[in-house]
Amino acid sequence: MPKIDQTVTSYALRADESQHTLLGETIQPQTLEYPNLSGIRALSDPHDAFAARALLTQVAEKNARHSIGHRSRQPP
């Protein structure tokens, strides 16, 4: 466990903010069709779980690079 002074603050988007992300817009039809479901699915096969995490990491890194590049091109 990291020491208390080494922790990193984490943030979460509010539900209304997350609706305007690529993921939020992509899953919106399903969230409207199944409003009482969380969308979380447990992956019992460890290989599937690892592959899902790897894919999500790649997408997150790509989006972060795009976001940083977009912000750096905007005038101050």
Side-chain angles (χ1 to χ4, degrees), residues 5-51:
D5 61 339
Q6 294 177 336
T7 59
V8 176
T9 303
S10 64
Y11 302 91
L13 295 176
R14 295 187 320 263
D16 61 318
E17 292 174 320
S18 67
Q19 293 172 354
H20 302 292
T21 64
L22 177 60
L23 178 60
E25 291 172 358
T26 301
I27 66 169
Q28 186 177 21
Q30 290 84 8
T31 60
L32 294 174
E33 188 173 352
Y34 304 102
N36 297 321
L37 298 179
S38 67
I40 296 173
R41 179 176 180 175
L43 299 175
S44 58
D45 182 318
H47 296 100
D48 290 343
F50 178 81

